[in-house]
Amino acid sequence: LKSGADITARFLNNIAESFDEPFLAFFTLGHIIMAVFFKDFIKIGVPTLILFGESATGKSTIQKSGLFIFAEPRNAIISGGSTLRSTEYIASKYNAMIICVDDLKSSTLQSSNFTELIKSSYHGTVRTRMTNFGKDVENIQFCSPMVFSTNEKIPNLKEVNNRLNIVEMFGKNFKPEKFKYFETDEDNVKELSLILPEVLKFEINKVKEIYNDTLKTLEDNVKDTQKRVVNNIAYAYTGVKLLFNIAGIERGELDTKLIEYAQAQAKKYDEVQDVVDKVLA
């Protein structure tokens, strides 16, 4: 009895009520729903999302809210204690659906396997492995993107950071008493799955047009940084535009927030030392 557009509008308005600075929550959701277009963007490059910050800042809450749109949250959330190989395997079994790893540990983040996973997932590089008893070789191919949440230090490597969208959530920004889409709010949570059919109505040519317009805006306003950094941000913000389009709500100051966020991320990226810098230092 309710339309996907009405539910999307209520959802976005509730996020605006529940976060003092809702831009990062919208950005996270935009990144998550872009999983639907994974195979269409993999040649351009699909970044991994990392939610980084303190406890009780809304990281896991907004992550799960995005998963409720796909109606399979429990099957798609993996413990941060899981191995990265198992995460990669899950991402090869689900098609165009975000794979979430909650509370990633420091030892995992700082490992060479994490660097390898982020780099290979960006363009969906296929990995091969031997099957049991060496009878055959099978391909492990990425079919879905990933999102991690952590309060541990993120690797300070350019080859990792330029394949990530990093959302930093600190301070008392989140007001849980106003949020209506916790896992215990079953009726509200179920309604969110009606957003997915609305996302699927967008033809890929329209989605790429929105992406290209966003990318141009960022390139005009964020100078002298690697293109991959602005590509990653344009990718996620395309999802934000789709959600607001579905809801029929004007984005208002969000476009300004986008440029501010992109400029800040580019500055942080440019301050990261590359391998040559570290050797010389």
Side-chain angles (χ1 to χ4, degrees), residues 58-73:
K59 297 195 311 294
S60 296
T61 299
I62 204 67
Q63 182 186 49
K64 287 181 180 179
S65 296
L67 281 170
F68 293 142
I69 294 172
F70 291 89
E72 286 286 353

Side-chain angles (χ1 to χ4, degrees), residues 113-232:
N113 282 346
F114 181 76
T115 300
E116 179 192 334
L117 179 69
I118 298 304
K119 292 172 73 172
S120 58
S121 67
Y122 194 74
H123 287 299
T125 306
V126 174
R127 183 173 66 85
T128 60
R129 73 171 186 177
M130 297 298 295
T131 57
N132 289 341
F133 309 112
K135 290 182 179 179
D136 200 0
V137 175
E138 68 174 354
N139 288 341
I140 306 296
Q141 181 173 349
F142 287 94
C143 299
S144 290
M146 299 169 294
V147 54
F148 299 96
S149 69
T150 187
N151 53 17
E152 304 285 354
K153 187 175 184 293
I154 297 170
N156 198 27
L157 299 169
K158 281 198 169 181
E159 64 266 34
V160 175
N161 286 20
N162 65 10
R163 292 172 173 87
L164 298 174
N165 270 327
I166 300 173
V167 172
E168 297 184 11
M169 302 179 81
F170 288 91
K172 295 182 179 179
N173 178 39
F174 178 52
K175 300 186 284 288
E177 70 278 3
K178 293 191 175 183
F179 194 67
K180 299 176 182 176
Y181 296 92
F182 288 111
E183 201 164 5
T184 50
D185 302 318
E186 293 187 9
D187 290 340
N188 291 345
V189 161
K190 286 178 181 177
E191 289 181 357
L192 293 183
S193 64
L194 292 178
I195 297 173
L196 184 61
E198 300 299 324
V199 177
L200 291 167
K201 289 177 183 177
F202 287 96
E203 296 197 1
I204 188 57
N205 289 341
K206 178 63 176 175
V207 176
K208 286 193 172 177
E209 180 185 321
I210 294 171
Y211 160 79
N212 286 325
D213 288 345
T214 306
L215 184 61
K216 185 176 186 312
T217 297
L218 291 174
E219 287 176 336
D220 289 343
N221 289 277
V222 184
K223 304 293 186 182
D224 303 322
T225 194
Q226 192 181 86
K227 183 173 181 178
R228 195 175 276 171
V229 175
V230 290
N231 161 72
N232 298 342

Side-chain angles (χ1 to χ4, degrees), residues 41-61:
F41 276 85
I42 197 66
K43 289 182 180 178
I44 298 171
V46 173
T48 296
L49 176 67
I50 289 194
L51 300 173
F52 172 54
E54 304 164 290
S55 298
T57 53
K59 297 195 311 294
S60 296
T61 299

